[in-house]
Amino acid sequence: MSGILLAGASGFIGEKLIRLLEQAPSRPKLMSVGRRPLPFLKPKSRVQEHIANFNSLEGWMTTWQAETAVCCLGTTIKTAGSQAAFRAVDYDAVIAFARLAKRIGVQHFIVVSAVGASTSSASFYSRVKGEMEAALQAMDFSTLSIVQPSLLLGERAEQRLGERIGQVVSMPLAPLLMGPLSSYRPIHGADVAKAMATLALGPMPKYGVERLHYNDLMALN
């Protein structure tokens, strides 16, 4: 394995994921691309960090190589402050990172999206996620793994009242979500991170594009 490139390591899933990758027995080379240093990394961490502006990645990193890239970039409209600011993270920054990954030879691109993502969705959030997925597909990675969780469970540094309410309401209903509806089961962020670590560290899947929902993610844990 030549290396793993990761964006979004400061986030809810990304922090859990980079910790798992750093502790992996295979000891892959790790590079984190982010807008600020990761405060939880120890001084002798194996993770190389690059502090970057996602609007200007074009001329950077011409010698570092990676076989796999993982993108955990994402925000909410409330946190971002506007629909335009949300799109700048969940679409523009993701695609900028993917272009960087493509340029350095990444074959397997793994990205966190969301269940219900669709370019034709009436929901702005889901529509942006769908447009992001479509743009990544057009980039023609050898393998594109699109992780589509539903409501994420677990403690966040940033408390989100809407998600708290969603957790309380959805948990009693989760056992009833079977068959096609199982994709909408809430899932712990730690389980999503473990599944993504398995994808990043394991043999490259033999798919062009794969979408992973609740059952797929739990099977990788």
Side-chain angles (χ1 to χ4, degrees):
M1 178 179 291
S2 60
I4 298 175
L5 186 67
L6 175 66
S10 63
F12 180 55
I13 293 175
E15 179 178 343
K16 295 175 175 61
L17 175 58
I18 202 165
R19 289 179 186 274
L20 290 171
L21 295 176
E22 188 179 21
Q23 296 164 8
S26 58
R27 296 180 64 82
K29 291 195 305 178
L30 299 170
M31 170 70 79
S32 168
V33 181
R35 290 177 291 182
R36 61 186 67 89
L38 301 175
F40 54 84
L41 290 181
K42 296 179 181 179
K44 295 184 178 181
S45 170
R46 293 193 301 108
V47 179
Q48 300 178 54
E49 289 190 271
H50 180 74
I51 309 306
N53 180 340
F54 285 90
N55 294 325
S56 56
L57 291 177
E58 292 80 3
W60 177 71
M61 208 163 73
T62 56
T63 58
W64 211 82
Q65 293 184 326
E67 181 180 81
T68 302
V70 189
C71 185
C72 299
L73 293 169
T75 185
T76 63
I77 296 175
K78 181 179 179 181
T79 300
S82 68
Q83 289 187 344
F86 169 80
R87 185 179 177 86
V89 175
D90 281 59
Y91 182 89
D92 295 339
V94 172
I95 300 307
F97 177 69
R99 287 175 180 149
L100 166 63
K102 189 75 174 178
R103 189 171 71 248
I104 66 170
V106 163
Q107 299 296 307
H108 186 191
F109 194 87
I110 305 166
V111 64
V112 178
S113 183
V115 68
S118 170
T119 56
S120 59
S121 176
S123 161
F124 177 79
Y125 175 90
S126 298
R127 189 165 65 252
V128 171
K129 292 291 191 184
E131 291 171 358
M132 176 269 287
E133 292 184 11
L136 290 178
Q137 285 186 252
M139 295 178 72
D140 199 28
F141 286 98
S142 296
T143 303
L144 174 61
S145 297
I146 301 173
V147 175
Q148 293 187 321
S150 183
L151 179 67
L152 293 172
L153 305 175
E155 293 297 324
R156 295 176 181 266
E158 170 197 0
Q159 295 298 320
R160 297 176 178 177
L161 179 60
E163 290 186 347
R164 280 293 206 186
I165 295 172
Q167 291 182 22
V168 172
V169 172
S170 65
M171 287 305 293
L173 300 176
L176 303 178
L177 298 175
M178 297 182 290
L181 294 178
S182 63
S183 298
Y184 292 89
R185 284 190 175 188
I187 185 170
H188 280 274
D191 289 329
V192 176
K194 289 176 186 176
M196 295 180 73
T198 300
L199 286 172
L201 294 168
M204 188 182 302
K206 297 179 181 179
Y207 312 97
V209 179
E210 60 171 355
R211 285 180 169 80
L212 300 103
H213 302 107
Y214 178 87
N215 288 337
D216 308 302
L217 297 171
M218 294 307 295
L220 290 168
N221 273 257

